[in-house]
Amino acid sequence: MPNLYKIAARATGRVMSSLSRHAPASKRTFSDLPADVHDVTVPTRHGPVRVTVYRPSGATASTPVHVNVHGGGFVIRHPRQDDAWCRYLMTHADVVVLNVDYDTAPQYPFPVSLEQVHDVAAWAADPAREWDGSRLSIGGQSAGGSLSAAVARMSRDEGGPALALQVLHYPVLDMVTPMGRKPGGEHSKVPPPWMNRVFGLSYAPDAATRKNPLVSPAWGPNSENLGGLAPAVVVTAEFDALRDEAVRYARALEGAGVLREHHDVPGVDHGYDIMDRSPDVTAHVYSLLAGHVRQALHQP
């Protein structure tokens, strides 16, 4: 790929990142759900990271904790887009939720955001926290799902933190295969193909990085060694150009004995829950995911 194209893509990524605060808010809200919501600053190897804590009423030192990783193509920095989901999960799974405001590309390409999220998860697992960090899960949508899958692999390979569950909601799992070669990718509207190229070149600008198992766990041989990962729930969307790679990954997880469930959502595209185009479908999937988190973190 010509260097000029890469430069243009990264420049576009910088503009998109700088405008993140203007990204549309989620059309679904649960502002009526009572919660103690406050920000804390967590030290990481790449500097301090802001984390929004959603603490359910009645939470104690024995309440489990879930780390939420927002989407946005690794470029758009908009954790509040997940406010509705964090409130819902907090209430229906009875967990403390940590919503991570990680640094985004292209100013901070791979592995910065990944290592920040991993460090936040390790911080959350510390016994000194005000919740039970020994009962910990992680999850996210789109790019957040990719980062969650990578943290699960890092946690296995680096000896922690121990994760009870990983929730991968329409995740990005193959950044090697061009979007135009993915089923429906050339006609993708959410996001459009040009935006996917910007996201990919911003986060992982060179081909070698895109082949890294922490970037593309569903590509080629990267999905051959999944034993010992945290149990996973994978949700795919029927019309999503990323569906096939997530289906492949779910099958590989199943073969490794670490898949709890793969749920394919019919009739919707990438980001369906954020745009709330199918409220009944979103409610069903949120209930499903909260049930998995509750079961994983509250079981004896």
Side-chain angles (χ1 to χ4, degrees):
M1 185 176 296
N3 287 334
L4 183 61
Y5 185 84
K6 291 183 179 181
I7 293 171
R10 287 173 60 81
T12 303
R14 283 193 293 272
V15 172
M16 294 176 68
S17 181
S18 68
L19 296 175
S20 293
R21 65 184 181 276
H22 300 298
S26 171
K27 294 184 179 181
R28 171 177 286 265
T29 65
F30 292 108
S31 57
D32 58 319
L33 296 179
D36 170 12
V37 181
H38 62 278
D39 291 341
V40 298
T41 301
V42 177
T44 77
R45 72 193 83 176
H46 297 289
V49 171
R50 186 182 68 173
V51 174
T52 301
V53 179
Y54 294 77
R55 184 178 174 87
S57 58
T60 68
S62 63
T63 302
V65 58
H66 177 87
V67 175
N68 181 74
V69 192
H70 72 85
F74 308 97
V75 168
I76 298 173
R77 187 172 187 164
H78 192 33
R80 279 197 59 80
Q81 192 171 64
D82 282 2
D83 178 73
W85 165 237
C86 292
R87 288 177 180 273
Y88 184 95
L89 184 62
M90 172 205 69
T91 300
H92 292 274
D94 191 23
V95 295
V96 175
V97 178
L98 308 180
N99 195 17
V100 186
D101 185 13
Y102 56 86
D103 288 327
T104 54
Q107 294 91 333
Y108 302 96
F110 173 85
V112 173
S113 55
L114 168 59
E115 292 177 344
Q116 286 181 330
V117 175
H118 181 265
D119 290 352
V120 170
W123 175 86
D126 192 304
R129 305 283 84 84
E130 60 188 29
W131 47 75
D132 184 0
S134 69
R135 294 186 291 164
L136 170 68
S137 60
I138 191 169
Q141 302 167 327
S142 193
S146 174
L147 293 169
S148 297
V151 168
R153 189 180 289 240
M154 287 180 67
S155 297
R156 180 198 64 180
D157 296 345
E158 299 181 9
L163 297 171
L165 185 72
Q166 51 174 318
V167 178
L168 313 181
H169 198 173
Y170 47 85
V172 183
L173 298 173
D174 178 1
M175 296 184 72
V176 177
T177 305
M179 184 59 65
R181 296 183 185 175
K182 297 181 180 182
E186 69 275 15
H187 304 299
S188 176
K189 296 181 179 179
V190 188
W194 70 267
M195 191 177 292
N196 275 299
R197 288 192 288 272
V198 168
F199 290 161
L201 289 171
S202 295
Y203 181 61
D206 62 86
T209 300
R210 289 192 287 278
K211 292 179 180 179
N212 189 307
L214 298 176
V215 175
S216 298
W219 174 77
N222 291 347
S223 60
E224 294 176 358
N225 181 30
L226 304 183
L229 290 180
V233 178
V234 180
V235 174
T236 52
E238 180 183 8
F239 301 136
D240 186 4
L242 305 180
R243 177 184 179 275
D244 276 22
E245 62 206 66
V247 170
R248 292 198 313 272
Y249 195 62
R251 289 172 180 165
L253 290 166
E254 184 176 28
V258 293
L259 179 70
R260 288 182 67 125
E261 182 178 358
H262 168 220
H263 181 72
D264 191 46
V265 187
V268 298
D269 204 340
H270 195 85
Y272 68 94
D273 60 315
I274 298 295
M275 292 174 281
D276 204 25
R277 291 176 175 170
S278 305
D280 292 340
V281 172
T282 297
H284 173 70
V285 175
Y286 278 16
S287 177
L288 176 80
L289 295 179
H292 275 290
V293 173
R294 173 181 280 277
Q295 182 180 20
L297 297 184
H298 287 279
Q299 63 186 7

